Amino acid sequence: MSADIQIIANLLQATLDPRQNREAELRLQQEEFKKGYSLYLLQIVATESYPYTTRLASALCFKNLIRRKWTDEDGHHRLPKDEVTAIKRELIGLMVAVPSGIQAQLGDAISVIADSDFWRDWDTLVDDLVVRLSLDNATVNNGVLQVAHSIFKRWRPLFRSDELFTEINHVVAKFGTPFLTLFENTDRLIEQNKDDKDKLPALFSTLNLLIKIFYDLSCQDLPPVFEDNLPAIASLLHKYLTYDNTLLHTDSDSEPGPIEFVKAGTCEVLVLYIQKFEDVFGPLLGQFITSSWTLLTTVGTETKYDILISKCLQFLTAVARIRQHAENFNNEQVLAQVVENVILPNLTLRDSDIELFEDEPIEYIRRDLEGSDTDTRRRAATDFLRQLMEQFEGIVTSVVTRYIDHYLSDFSKDPKNNWKSKDTAVYLFSSIAAKGVVTASQGVKSINSLVNVVDFFQRNIANDLVAETEVEPLLKVDAIKYLYVFRSQMTKEQWHTAFPLLVRHLGSDSYVVYTYAAIAIERILYMTNEARQPLFSKEDILPVAGNLLDRLFQLIEKESAPEKVQENEFLMRCVMRVLIVIRDGVLPMADTVLDHLIKITNVIEKNPSNPRFYYYHFEAIGALIRFVAPTQSGKLESALYAPFATVLQNYVQEFMPYVFQLFAALLECNPSGSLSKYYRALIPPILVPSLWESRGNIPALVRFLSSVIPRGAQGMIAEKQIEPILGIFQKLVSTKANEAHAFDLLETVVGSFLVSDLEPFFVPMYQIILMRLHNSKTDNLALRFVRFYHFMSARDSQGLGADLVVNTVEQIQEGVFVSLYMSIILPETPKLIRPLDRKTAVISFTKTLTGSRAFSEKYKKGWGYTCEAMLKLLENAPVPSTTTDDIDDQDVDDPSFGVGFTQLSTCRPAPRDPWPDVTDLKRWVGTSIKEADRRLGGRMSSYIREKLSAEARNVLLSYM
């Protein structure tokens, strides 16, 4: 055992060395499959003789293992039962004992475990936490509370449900009273140790965690134990909102200290309570409003106070949303004080902001960009001002306009030295001009009717965009950002004047200026009018596209280190958007663009570090494939194979799902319909079961196989690859998460191979499906099976058809087809939503009526049921979907982005109608039945008379 642990410890240490990390990570992946691996990781974490870095790496590795392998898609544990039991038994005690950095990793792991097991399969957890709480040991308490917070914080974003409230009530019943006791005891210990510099920080860490957990326990509803003690709790919260102790002050101007975190957390709680529980908390609110105002007007401008100030402003914003409280601000003199004492100090540029602009430009952009979720003073102040304007538009506009005029006047007196005044004026104007949220697609859609955003731009901002010299870079950023925010308020003619200026600013020496130019260009190219037509067409952009792309690639490739190349996702997003807009206009420059994209792939695959960048990067490659491959597929295949193969050989897990999608898109664009040597070489590796272990790989691998199989069916038969492919189907269909992918693969297999080649597999194939339907049927499984049935039934000309399904199912169990047909196929068919699926079902039913021996001889009653079902589908006729060629990229700000599989929008397969000749479905049905009636000597006519109701008979005859 010790030898195994030492091997793992050495590999963990090697992952920290850039020269060895790739090989070490691959070897650790092999160790994962050995029994006891998860417990070895915990032992390394617990062993103090190992270096801290090794223990931290082990905790991180354990967290990632738990994320991947704790449960399967159906919620069943994937680790051995004894390991699961041991982990849950040991993890809490271990987390309490390790340093805080390691605690954070283990806390994330506990949160994942709790997602699946807590509370019903881990009902001892809360008791275990409570029993570990100490009266006087802050270190132990902090470990326990960190565990509790990692579990309880999961409730914050969840929707209300009975199951959720049952879990919360279970926790509150056991944890609520001990929690309040600990809260009071911590307050007492802080008082006792107020002069002890060694003990105070740990006690304030306890207090900070208690406030976070107070939020967790209240996030869905007000627990009765809190409501009963609300005045006492409010008193403690207010005490620490106004608390000060020089022993807890930090020497740094940039790093918040314990007091700042506690006060910021208190403000978060206040926002929650005023939003959710104002009816009971309202009477206690006054003291907090007064103290918040005092905080905002006395705290300094140092960056260490930023989070506190932003949270405090968020609290006042929440207060201003409630009309009765907002009335306190409904006075011109009061509003002037608000602007003077609160808004302006937090809106005005500080030296630290300028330093960030110059020294960490990408961080500045991410904080400053409208829509960012970063807590900044400027954003919080802007939100507060906009909320006041929503309540009192006229008076706020009047007051703020006076300040705007003052700062513009101050700038005009000495533009060189007073440029910050103009920056403040522009921010103030933007704050009162915009109403509502800034949307990702259109920017500000609604504006304050008392101001004119275009006129303000032309009079005060446009010159900063036009002038090539003697303008502060930050003012240029203000000008570009103004266009970005108010882009929907400008006409196309105005944009045709402004757009070349944005392109020119890609040549700026300032990182923030050229990045904001790229951001604005990308969003403008994305904009559409009400008819969904792009504001800038392909023809508008083509004249500048070459220079635009060249400049963007120069900026991306300016430095050679992988982390620097992929640092700026905004530049790559702009590349992607230009390629999407110019479409096949890229053909003359395709070689140059391809060279750049391959070069970037080869650099960043060595160390993928920015998921947003490489998502946009692969979307850009997808766009190139989409618009170039139809005419140059061979060139693209040969150029892209080497970098993509390197990704697969090096097992760059982050890139593999993208690569398989791109390979599939390349193949689908190849007009030859054949399978090149590149693709044939990829088939054996992708059939290896271990590749299908990663959830993120599965949709991409299915997509890839679904492109390969139709073109390589004969070669795959020769290589005996049908059976392993059906083995993959069996694995996928066994889980709810992958059942749709399983049927995608199965439809490709059945539609591509000859029936004679598949004959040995039909019975085991249906056995697997019927067993899953019997044991754990889901709505989606039933629908996908019905879709697959119609897929087979409609293709009688290929040797499939309803009779083949009947004969196969009857071999498994005689008589079972009738039950299957009556309980699943007929009732589920109307639930098919996609027009092509409904069309296939109509064709399937029609071919069953006109050509099935089983339905004409064995299941005669079934003929009438089938015809009635077909007529209902036809009367609710499938409407062809209105297909557009729009390409919408994924929302990288969505919390689920980057988790598992991310589909490339540029490679999304287009729906394909397998029956393009059938355009009038009712006429086709009528013609098919008439032809069958002639062929079968009037049998259809007799069936129609005997087996259909009068109403159904009249409907069918109207088609004939």
Side-chain angles (χ1 to χ4, degrees):
M1 182 188 293
S2 59
D4 290 333
I5 291 178
Q6 192 57 53
I7 289 170
I8 294 170
N10 292 340
L11 289 173
L12 289 167
Q13 193 63 39
T15 62
L16 306 175
D17 182 350
R19 297 165 301 178
Q20 306 178 64
N21 64 338
R22 179 70 71 188
E23 183 183 349
E25 287 168 1
L26 290 173
R27 288 188 60 191
L28 279 172
Q29 288 168 9
Q30 295 168 1
E31 293 290 326
E32 276 186 23
F33 296 98
K34 295 181 180 178
K35 185 173 173 57
Y37 175 70
S38 62
L39 300 180
Y40 292 161
L41 291 174
L42 288 183
Q43 284 183 260
I44 293 168
V45 171
T47 304
E48 294 182 4
S49 60
Y50 285 116
Y52 174 81
T53 53
T54 303
R55 297 171 68 198
L56 181 60
S58 189
L60 181 62
C61 197
F62 176 79
K63 176 187 74 174
N64 291 333
L65 175 74
I66 295 300
R67 280 179 172 170
R68 290 194 312 274
K69 290 199 169 183
W70 185 253
T71 58
D72 61 21
E73 292 83 353
D74 295 335
H76 303 125
H77 290 127
R78 297 179 64 190
L79 295 176
K81 186 176 180 180
D82 58 336
E83 289 187 42
V84 169
T85 303
I87 287 169
K88 289 198 282 190
R89 183 181 64 243
E90 302 295 335
L91 195 50
I92 305 303
L94 177 59
M95 182 166 169
V96 169
V98 296
S100 59
I102 296 174
Q103 277 184 348
Q105 302 302 326
L106 296 183
D108 287 345
I110 289 172
S111 184
V112 173
I113 294 171
D115 266 334
S116 68
D117 289 33
F118 186 72
W119 61 283
R120 297 190 188 281
D121 293 329
W122 201 3
D123 58 356
T124 61
L125 174 60
V126 180
D127 293 323
D128 193 15
L129 293 174
V130 170
V131 79
R132 291 175 186 273
L133 291 173
S134 166
L135 290 175
D136 55 8
N137 191 327
T139 302
V140 170
N141 287 337
N142 290 344
V144 173
L145 295 176
Q146 190 70 55
V147 174
H149 177 53
S150 69
I151 296 167
F152 306 158
K153 70 181 179 182
R154 300 175 302 116
W155 303 330
R156 295 189 182 195
L158 300 182
F159 292 110
R160 299 167 70 98
S161 69
D162 290 344
E163 182 66 24
L164 174 61
F165 274 64
T166 301
E167 180 180 320
I168 295 173
N169 289 336
H170 165 82
V171 170
V172 170
K174 293 172 177 285
F175 198 77
T177 301
F179 169 83
L180 289 178
T181 302
L182 181 60
F183 205 160
E184 292 172 349
N185 192 55
T186 301
D187 172 54
R188 180 177 57 80
L189 289 172
I190 289 172
E191 283 297 319
Q192 290 176 1
N193 295 280
K194 61 184 178 183
D195 298 321
D196 192 329
K197 189 172 184 177
D198 295 328
K199 290 184 179 179
L200 264 184
L203 288 168
F204 255 75
S205 293
T206 305
L207 183 61
N208 188 34
L209 285 164
L210 285 166
I211 291 171
K212 287 180 179 179
I213 292 171
F214 182 73
Y215 188 112
D216 298 336
L217 296 172
S218 308
C219 67
Q220 293 288 338
D221 202 0
L222 181 59
V225 69
F226 291 173
E227 187 172 3
D228 294 343
N229 294 277
L230 201 53
I233 294 170
S235 176
L236 282 175
L237 291 174
H238 185 258
K239 174 181 178 178
Y240 288 103
L241 183 64
T242 57
Y243 184 88
D244 195 22
N245 189 324
T246 55
L247 295 180
L248 293 169
H249 290 185
T250 61
D251 295 331
S252 169
D253 286 342
S254 58
E255 292 298 322
I259 290 180
E260 287 74 50
F261 284 122
V262 164
K263 291 183 178 183
T266 301
C267 288
E268 281 194 272
V269 166
L270 295 177
V271 171
L272 175 72
Y273 267 66
I274 196 173
Q275 289 175 340
K276 279 184 168 284
F277 317 122
E278 198 270 338
D279 54 334
V280 293
F281 194 66
L284 304 168
L285 198 58
Q287 58 185 339
F288 292 103
I289 295 174
T290 303
S291 298
S292 297
W293 180 265
T294 302
L295 262 178
L296 288 169
T297 54
T298 56
V299 167
T301 60
E302 295 88 347
T303 55
K304 67 179 178 181
Y305 299 121
D306 284 3
I307 187 169
L308 169 57
I309 293 298
S310 64
K311 296 297 182 186
C312 205
L313 282 165
Q314 287 168 21
F315 166 59
L316 287 184
T317 303
V319 170
R321 285 196 184 98
I322 300 171
R323 185 71 189 195
Q324 69 184 76
H325 298 305
E327 283 297 328
N328 294 320
F329 300 104
N330 190 10
N331 176 285
E332 188 166 330
Q333 188 175 356
V334 171
L335 283 170
Q337 290 179 3
V338 169
V339 174
E340 186 83 35
N341 298 321
V342 175
I343 302 298
L344 288 172
N346 294 300
L347 207 66
T348 305
L349 275 174
R350 300 167 296 174
D351 290 343
S352 58
D353 297 320
I354 298 170
E355 287 173 10
L356 190 70
F357 181 95
E358 295 170 347
D359 300 337
E360 298 182 62
I362 194 67
E363 181 62 23
Y364 177 90
I365 293 162
R366 288 180 181 140
R367 290 188 189 183
D368 181 64
L369 193 62
E370 196 74 41
S372 164
D373 60 0
T374 305
D375 292 315
T376 66
R377 292 186 185 228
R378 277 192 153 187
R379 178 146 310 107
T382 298
D383 290 344
F384 181 38
L385 187 57
R386 284 178 180 168
Q387 186 58 52
L388 290 172
M389 194 190 69
E390 196 170 298
Q391 298 282 16
F392 318 111
E393 185 175 284
I395 191 171
V396 170
T397 302
S398 174
V399 168
V400 173
T401 299
R402 290 202 297 270
Y403 283 96
I404 292 169
D405 292 341
H406 163 75
Y407 281 105
L408 287 175
S409 173
D410 187 55
F411 167 75
S412 65
K413 293 173 186 174
D414 186 357
K416 185 175 179 61
N417 293 311
N418 294 349
W419 63 270
K420 289 183 186 177
S421 293
K422 184 172 185 179
D423 173 83
T424 303
V426 172
Y427 254 89
L428 276 174
F429 184 85
S430 298
S431 298
I432 63 166
K435 295 177 69 175
V437 296
V438 180
T439 66
S441 58
Q442 303 290 327
V444 171
K445 293 289 288 179
S446 178
I447 61 169
N448 182 349
S449 61
L450 302 176
V451 299
N452 187 324
V453 296
V454 175
D455 178 67
F456 186 84
F457 175 78
Q458 290 171 339
R459 286 191 298 107
N460 300 297
I461 300 175
N463 187 61
D464 293 335
L465 205 61
V466 174
E468 296 193 21
T469 58
E470 297 184 358
V471 176
E472 276 290 329
L474 262 161
L475 292 184
K476 284 195 173 290
V477 170
D478 287 347
I480 296 169
K481 187 180 177 186
Y482 189 95
L483 290 177
Y484 162 79
V485 170
F486 295 108
R487 56 190 180 274
S488 290
Q489 309 306 316
M490 296 177 64
T491 65
K492 184 170 181 177
E493 290 69 30
Q494 289 168 332
W495 269 122
H496 274 276
T497 302
F499 190 82
L501 297 174
L502 293 176
V503 175
R504 194 185 78 199
H505 280 82
L506 286 175
S508 170
D509 292 332
S510 167
Y511 188 107
V512 182
V513 171
Y514 68 65
T515 300
Y516 253 113
I519 291 167
I521 289 167
E522 188 277 328
R523 286 292 84 187
I524 293 156
L525 294 182
Y526 181 77
M527 283 179 65
T528 57
N529 59 24
E530 292 179 359
R532 294 276 300 170
Q533 295 302 308
L535 185 69
F536 281 84
S537 67
K538 164 185 164 182
E539 289 70 27
D540 292 328
I541 299 303
L542 265 179
V544 298
N547 290 335
L548 186 53
L549 289 168
D550 283 345
R551 181 58 187 158
L552 287 166
F553 282 125
Q554 285 173 21
L555 294 171
I556 292 168
E557 298 168 5
K558 191 160 57 172
E559 297 190 51
S560 58
E563 61 275 10
K564 294 302 290 183
V565 168
Q566 61 195 303
E567 174 184 75
N568 194 329
E569 67 267 19
F570 305 106
L571 298 176
M572 184 52 78
R573 189 181 196 186
C574 194
V575 169
M576 173 200 75
R577 186 67 56 205
V578 172
L579 293 174
I580 289 172
V581 170
I582 64 174
R583 298 182 176 266
D584 58 358
V586 76
L587 282 167
M589 60 191 93
D591 288 351
T592 303
V593 173
L594 181 61
D595 287 345
H596 282 296
L597 292 172
I598 289 173
K599 178 181 177 183
I600 292 167
T601 304
N602 290 335
V603 172
I604 65 175
E605 68 92 12
K606 294 178 174 63
N607 182 24
S609 58
N610 186 347
R612 298 180 180 203
F613 179 94
Y614 55 73
Y615 163 69
Y616 292 131
H617 171 68
F618 287 117
E619 285 282 26
I621 296 177
L624 198 66
I625 290 170
R626 180 167 178 162
F627 301 119
V628 175
T631 57
Q632 299 180 23
S633 59
K635 177 190 289 187
L636 285 182
E637 279 182 16
S638 58
L640 288 169
Y641 183 81
F644 286 179
T646 300
V647 166
L648 301 182
Q649 287 162 7
N650 292 341
Y651 204 77
V652 185
Q653 205 161 3
E654 298 90 338
F655 289 4
M656 288 170 70
Y658 295 127
V659 165
F660 285 122
Q661 290 178 76
L662 293 168
F663 267 138
L666 262 175
L667 190 53
E668 289 160 1
C669 286
N670 189 329
S672 72
S674 61
L675 206 60
S676 70
K677 61 181 181 180
Y678 300 125
Y679 292 101
R680 290 197 299 272
L682 287 172
I683 296 172
I686 67 167
L687 298 181
V688 174
S690 60
L691 199 59
W692 296 79
E693 289 292 324
S694 170
R695 298 179 191 180
N697 282 349
I698 288 171
L701 285 168
V702 169
R703 168 80 192 284
F704 178 66
L705 266 182
S706 298
S707 301
V708 167
I709 290 170
R711 294 163 176 81
Q714 291 307 307
M716 298 174 88
I717 292 168
E719 297 294 329
K720 297 183 169 50
Q721 290 169 332
I722 295 179
E723 193 164 355
I725 292 172
L726 291 175
I728 291 168
F729 161 76
Q730 182 177 5
K731 174 182 171 64
L732 297 182
V733 82
S734 67
T735 62
K736 294 175 186 176
N738 292 319
E739 58 199 16
H741 302 307
F743 278 101
D744 286 342
L745 182 59
L746 191 60
E747 287 176 6
T748 302
V749 169
V750 172
S752 302
F753 292 101
L754 296 175
V755 171
S756 57
D757 295 320
L758 293 174
E759 197 168 352
F761 305 105
F762 280 125
V763 169
M765 180 195 306
Y766 270 89
Q767 280 177 324
I768 293 166
I769 295 171
L770 294 180
M771 187 177 299
R772 175 71 207 283
L773 285 168
H774 180 265
N775 292 337
S776 53
K777 187 180 86 169
T778 64
D779 292 343
N780 185 55
L781 179 73
L783 271 179
R784 286 310 305 259
F785 166 69
V786 168
R787 179 176 136 178
F788 176 64
Y789 167 80
H790 290 303
F791 178 91
M792 285 191 66
S793 173
R795 286 166 170 77
D796 57 343
S797 60
Q798 297 171 229
L800 299 170
D803 286 350
L804 177 60
V805 179
V806 171
N807 293 336
T808 301
V809 172
E810 290 296 295
Q811 287 181 60
I812 297 169
Q813 183 181 337
E814 189 174 350
V816 79
F817 179 78
V818 173
S819 172
L820 189 67
Y821 197 72
M822 298 301 292
S823 65
I824 296 182
I825 294 172
L826 286 182
E828 294 292 328
T829 294
K831 298 177 184 176
L832 293 169
I833 295 174
R834 297 195 321 171
L836 287 177
D837 293 343
R838 295 174 70 83
K839 181 178 181 180
T840 299
V842 169
I843 292 171
S844 158
F845 281 148
T846 305
K847 292 193 173 186
T848 297
L849 296 173
T850 59
S852 168
R853 290 186 62 183
F855 277 78
S856 64
E857 297 174 4
K858 189 174 182 181
Y859 307 124
K860 292 185 179 181
K861 286 185 179 179
W863 197 98
Y865 296 136
T866 302
C867 194
E868 297 263 2
M870 179 198 68
L871 293 174
K872 286 177 183 175
L873 277 179
L874 279 171
E875 289 307 297
N876 185 12
V879 179
S881 57
T882 54
T883 58
T884 67
D885 207 17
D886 295 343
I887 301 172
D888 292 322
D889 49 294
Q890 302 288 341
D891 180 6
V892 298
D893 294 319
D894 189 289
S896 64
F897 171 77
V899 179
F901 172 74
T902 301
Q903 186 170 51
L904 292 174
S905 300
T906 50
C907 296
R908 197 184 300 271
R912 190 181 64 84
D913 187 354
W915 325 99
D917 296 336
V918 180
T919 52
D920 186 333
L921 203 50
K922 291 180 180 179
R923 178 180 294 180
W924 180 86
V925 168
T927 302
S928 298
I929 291 177
K930 282 195 293 185
E931 289 176 354
D933 195 47
R934 284 195 299 270
R935 188 176 72 250
L936 299 172
R939 187 188 299 171
M940 296 293 104
S941 296
S942 64
Y943 283 170
I944 292 170
R945 287 194 303 272
E946 297 167 7
K947 301 180 184 298
L948 297 183
S949 65
E951 182 183 357
R953 185 163 56 247
N954 290 335
V955 172
L956 182 58
L957 290 173
S958 70
Y959 302 159
M960 299 170 65

